[in-house]
Amino acid sequence: MAFRLSPQLVKNSLASHSWMGIAIGALMYWVCLSGTLAVLYPEFERWETPTVSEYTEVNPEAIQSAYQRFMEGQEPTEHAYVLLPRPGMPRTVLMSDHSARVLNADGTLGEPAAHPWTHILTDLHLYLHLPSSWGMVLVSTLGAMLLALIVSGVLAHPRLFKDAFHFRRKGNARLEQTDLHNRLSVWGLPFYIMIAVTGAFYGLASMLSWVAAEAFYDGDTDVVIETVYGGHPENLPEREGPLGIARVLQDSMERAPEGTRPIYVTVEHPDTDEEHLLVGTHYPDRLIYAEQFYYDGAGNFLNKVGFSDGEPGRQAIFSVYRIHFGHFGGLGVKLLWVALGLALTVVSVSGINIWLAKRKHRDALNNLWTGIVWGTPLAFVVSAITQVLLQWPSKWIFWGVILAAMILAQWRDRHPPTKRWLLGLTSAGLVLLALGHALRFGADAFTGAAPGINAGLLLAALALGLMAWRQPTR
């Protein structure tokens, strides 16, 4: 007897599949768009806090003294950090697990170090605003899915490369979206593969560590982590006198090659028997994030991890961050990464657009997708206005704007006018944000990274305004 599914079950299954497709498409879109903006997160941090004192050189003795003052009265902490001036971030920040303060140019402790809107942006890209333990796994899974989509897309379109410059801009909307999707897919293919692989690595690293531990180290994941990232030193002598931050900074500069510079000091387990320091040194001609030098609490050298000259796998793993975010080669590479990231964002959106067009009918899915795609840029702008200019906690404002855009799209039930409204509001919001930033921060809005970001906001406002003007009114 043949097994047959009921028509209602088939209908419900298709509906569930459709909703799941939109859900995954929305998550991919949010990760791609936020990742594109996050390439410039150091510049956004400086734009968000333009009053912070900026400089490129700092005296090691001043760092030593500032650290001691910062740690007075601190709650017990597992880690303490000194983030030193570095390329793209000419400021010093002292941090524990509980608080953070900037260091003024005169050596005094400044205002609390906080950049909540930039955190909204980066937290969306890394965790989708979910708890970090499984938010990063979800984002990394999306990276793996992106890689699978890239491979399957290339295999499914044998003429993809042959038609790389064939683009139909008039006529059938589905064909136009298809050509846009396929052309951008070809032009940025190496970049997309790199983003998918490095993005998948972050959250799946723990799973890979577990597999390697089971295969080679009798299930001991700590050994795997120490093999890759270096182990904590043992049998440390008891420290006498102050923590030797000034000494380790001087010693690391002597040990590192010419042209390098220390960019952070980490104090592990401060004021305990396990206390030790590591200095991260920036190598401008390498992709690695930093080489690390280990010291005991008194400032005596222990060892170098070997990210700069160790095993190739260790060097490669510590290069993932700079490659993924384009933080090498200066501002030109960052802007290239932004352009390619926008292209990947368009590819992710156009893929869903093609799927929706193939259905031959419109329903709530079309409207909600319109609200998500064009409401998200507006949400970034509104949350920046409320957080940076008004200092309101704005993570839920961000999601509230997206929800309101989805409701608007469903109410209007027509794509062109809804898109026109959302683009127009985003354009106006960008102008308000740039002008409001200048009014709120005064002369500080014309120093550091702020002028560049504000100019970019105004250019984006012009581009989106032109897009809104070209949209049909009904």
Side-chain angles (χ1 to χ4, degrees):
M1 180 177 179
F3 178 73
R4 298 183 62 184
L5 298 176
S6 70
Q8 186 62 40
L9 178 60
V10 172
K11 181 179 178 181
N12 292 340
S13 297
L14 287 173
S16 299
H17 179 75
S18 299
W19 283 102
M20 188 175 298
I22 287 290
I24 293 174
L27 295 178
M28 191 77 76
Y29 169 62
W30 286 327
V31 169
C32 290
L33 181 58
S34 61
T36 299
L37 298 175
V39 169
L40 299 174
Y41 83 83
E43 287 75 18
F44 280 121
E45 284 187 15
R46 297 171 64 194
W47 167 81
E48 188 175 355
T49 56
T51 59
V52 170
S53 182
E54 295 195 338
Y55 44 87
T56 57
E57 300 295 334
V58 61
N59 186 291
E61 296 294 340
I63 293 294
Q64 174 98 31
S65 176
Y67 175 82
Q68 292 171 351
R69 296 195 306 274
F70 173 72
M71 293 298 289
E72 291 175 0
Q74 282 278 346
E75 299 178 37
T77 180
E78 286 291 309
H79 313 88
Y81 309 91
V82 181
L83 306 181
L84 300 165
R86 55 205 182 276
M89 186 62 73
R91 51 179 64 177
T92 301
V93 176
L94 295 98
M95 301 173 58
S96 71
D97 293 336
H98 312 292
S99 65
R101 298 278 294 278
V102 300
L103 182 65
N104 296 324
D106 61 4
T108 60
L109 290 176
E111 61 190 83
H115 33 77
W117 183 81
T118 306
H119 182 73
I120 290 173
L121 169 63
T122 55
D123 191 61
L124 179 65
H125 181 64
L126 296 175
Y127 314 115
L128 285 167
H129 291 170
L130 299 171
S132 60
S133 57
W134 51 282
M136 180 169 280
V137 173
L138 174 58
V139 171
S140 298
T141 301
L142 290 172
M145 293 174 61
L146 175 60
L147 182 61
L149 288 169
I150 292 169
V151 173
S152 61
V154 171
L155 295 177
H157 297 83
R159 292 177 54 89
L160 196 64
F161 295 97
K162 186 177 181 179
D163 294 339
F165 297 96
H166 180 63
F167 188 63
R168 293 163 287 193
R169 298 192 58 180
K170 302 292 184 180
N172 189 292
R174 181 172 67 83
L175 293 180
E176 182 178 328
Q177 288 290 311
T178 300
D179 283 351
L180 178 65
H181 181 84
N182 291 345
R183 299 304 80 80
L184 290 180
S185 296
V186 171
W187 297 339
L189 186 60
F191 173 81
Y192 307 151
I193 293 174
M194 178 277 294
I195 287 294
V197 171
T198 55
F201 166 79
Y202 282 110
L204 302 181
S206 57
M207 184 182 302
L208 296 174
S209 298
W210 178 81
V211 172
E214 291 295 328
F216 304 109
Y217 298 100
D218 297 325
D220 192 341
T221 55
D222 290 338
V223 175
V224 177
I225 294 173
E226 291 178 4
T227 300
V228 175
Y229 294 102
H232 286 192
E234 299 179 352
N235 302 319
L236 294 166
E238 185 176 350
R239 170 169 59 88
E240 296 181 3
L243 189 68
I245 290 182
R247 182 175 177 181
V248 305
L249 286 172
Q250 293 283 8
D251 185 81
S252 66
M253 287 187 281
E254 294 172 2
R255 293 180 183 276
E258 184 178 357
T260 63
R261 62 182 297 161
I263 58 174
Y264 63 86
V265 178
T266 301
V267 184
E268 298 278 0
H269 311 291
D271 301 319
T272 70
D273 294 340
E274 300 178 13
E275 181 184 64
H276 61 278
L277 302 91
L278 61 89
V279 178
T281 299
H282 173 62
Y283 284 53
D285 58 344
R286 300 293 304 277
L287 288 174
I288 60 169
Y289 183 74
E291 179 60 274
Q292 292 184 344
F293 299 87
Y294 275 91
Y295 297 84
D296 65 23
N300 299 305
F301 177 73
L302 299 174
N303 60 62
K304 183 179 76 171
V305 176
F307 291 123
S308 63
D309 56 6
E311 296 85 350
R314 175 175 283 178
Q315 296 184 48
I317 285 175
F318 224 51
S319 300
V320 168
Y321 167 83
R322 290 198 188 279
I323 295 173
H324 186 78
F325 287 102
H327 287 187
F328 61 93
L331 182 61
V333 173
K334 285 186 179 182
L335 294 178
L336 176 61
W337 253 234
V338 169
L340 291 169
L342 284 175
L344 179 57
T345 304
V346 172
V347 168
S348 68
V349 170
S350 58
I352 299 296
N353 290 345
I354 294 168
W355 172 70
L356 289 172
K358 286 181 177 179
R359 300 188 315 145
K360 306 295 185 183
H361 68 279
R362 282 183 52 83
D363 57 19
L365 288 177
N366 299 74
N367 296 326
L368 297 182
W369 181 242
T370 297
I372 289 170
V373 170
W374 300 109
T376 299
L378 178 61
F380 277 123
V381 174
V382 172
S383 63
I385 291 171
T386 55
Q387 182 73 69
V388 179
L389 303 187
L390 303 178
Q391 297 183 300
W392 298 348
S394 296
K395 183 171 77 171
W396 295 113
I397 291 175
F398 173 85
W399 290 109
V401 172
I402 294 177
L403 178 61
M406 294 165 67
I407 294 172
L408 172 67
Q410 178 63 15
W411 174 61
R412 296 298 302 273
D413 196 25
R414 288 188 61 82
H415 172 74
T418 303
K419 180 179 175 181
R420 181 186 177 94
W421 268 76
L422 294 175
L423 281 171
L425 288 172
T426 305
S427 177
L430 286 167
V431 174
L432 176 62
L433 179 58
L435 296 180
H437 187 274
L439 290 173
R440 182 175 189 273
F441 293 106
D444 291 321
F446 299 91
T447 61
I453 292 296
N454 283 328
L457 296 179
L458 294 175
L459 286 174
L462 177 61
L464 295 180
L466 290 173
M467 289 176 62
W469 179 71
R470 294 177 58 186
Q471 291 298 309
T473 57
R474 60 177 65 185

